[in-house]
Amino acid sequence: KEYEFSAILESHVSQEQVYDTTVKPYLPGLKNGQSALVFCYGRTNAGKTYTVFGEQQQQQGGDSSSQWGLVPRALQDLGSFELSYFEIYNEQIYDLLPSNNATTTSTDTHPLLKCVSRHTVSNVQDGMQLITNTKRRSACNGKNARSSRSHAVCRLSASTSADLWIIDLAGSERPGRQFHEAVQINTSLSTLNRCFLALRDNQKPPFRESKLTHILGHLW
């Protein structure tokens, strides 16, 4: 098979280099009203969650930023914004942020995201404190003691009404003990891939066939 890449980051590159290559180039457009979408995709235990969030205990302590992932670095660069964080588990959407928190500003207007809250955040510490206090679904799969079993979606909304979506996809794997979960994950990822192929071929993406692609339908 032949593959094409926009860039290749070797194993020794820093978290900062990953961010500068993938997310940071979208920030000027975001501030000018243009939304952006970033996926982190790969097999289970590939390091997707580390790439997206980094070392969370360091973020909470505030003593080091060298291991921050894509989300905390974006929080730091954006300044004030609205934050939403939710998961898609077995084709159901669950808000991961406390809806009764004092910083809650509103709930979403998207038909599929009525249960998702928006929180006004003014700095990276407040944003990461909200995110790191959540409990995303995970399970032991023989390779990882806390393998993510859901797609985690972090949306940062700028004052320009543009959104930066950073999505930590659940790892693809062969169905095992969590058969139903694996089937749902792999089906969702397959639909996402079909949407990408349709865009490549200038066809209409079948985005309504999964919750993940449906909530992003306006971006296709």
Side-chain angles (χ1 to χ4, degrees):
K1 296 182 180 180
E2 294 183 357
Y3 299 89
E4 293 183 6
F5 300 91
S6 299
I8 296 177
L9 302 176
E10 298 183 16
S11 59
H12 64 271
V13 302
S14 66
Q15 290 279 68
E16 182 179 12
Q17 289 174 293
V18 174
Y19 173 74
D20 288 346
T21 304
T22 58
V23 173
K24 193 170 185 177
Y26 292 119
L27 297 188
L30 186 71
K31 295 177 181 179
N32 291 323
Q34 184 176 3
S35 294
L37 173 60
V38 177
F39 290 102
C40 195
Y41 169 80
R43 293 291 299 265
T44 186
N45 204 35
K48 299 180 297 299
T49 300
Y50 172 74
T51 299
V52 173
F53 295 107
E55 295 289 349
Q56 296 184 0
Q57 64 271 22
Q58 292 188 17
Q59 294 160 14
Q60 288 180 302
D63 58 351
S64 174
S65 61
S66 63
Q67 298 305 313
W68 282 5
L70 302 180
V71 168
R73 292 179 187 277
L75 295 177
Q76 186 176 51
D77 285 346
L78 286 174
S80 181
F81 49 86
E82 283 190 332
L83 168 67
S84 297
Y85 182 52
F86 59 94
E87 68 177 351
I88 303 175
Y89 174 73
N90 285 345
E91 283 299 287
Q92 298 297 317
I93 298 173
Y94 300 93
D95 193 2
L96 291 173
L97 299 182
S99 58
N100 60 345
N101 190 281
T103 61
T104 302
T105 54
S106 64
T107 54
D108 205 283
T109 58
H110 191 289
L112 294 179
L113 299 179
K114 290 292 186 180
C115 64
V116 175
S117 58
R118 291 173 176 261
H119 298 251
T120 300
V121 177
S122 58
N123 57 64
V124 60
Q125 287 77 19
D126 290 346
M128 289 311 301
Q129 183 176 12
L130 283 171
I131 290 176
T132 54
N133 287 334
T134 62
K135 292 185 178 181
R136 180 182 174 188
R137 286 170 172 82
S138 63
C140 177
N141 63 1
K143 295 181 179 180
N144 189 340
R146 293 183 55 84
S147 176
S148 300
R149 309 307 301 165
S150 65
H151 304 309
V153 182
C154 183
R155 178 183 56 186
L156 308 178
S157 301
S159 58
T160 57
S161 298
D163 298 323
L164 171 61
W165 301 77
I166 301 178
I167 302 178
D168 177 15
L169 295 170
S172 59
E173 59 184 58
R174 294 182 179 180
R177 288 185 301 170
Q178 297 90 14
F179 179 81
H180 181 68
E181 292 178 350
V183 169
Q184 294 289 342
I185 290 170
N186 292 340
T187 299
S188 176
L189 294 175
S190 176
T191 301
L192 177 61
N193 185 57
R194 289 167 55 208
C195 287
F196 288 144
L197 293 176
L199 290 174
R200 181 198 65 183
D201 298 333
N202 294 318
Q203 298 177 359
K204 185 177 180 179
F207 66 87
R208 294 182 182 275
E209 295 185 12
S210 81
K211 290 289 178 63
L212 174 65
T213 52
H214 196 174
I215 63 175
L216 303 171
H218 64 290
L219 298 173
W220 298 112

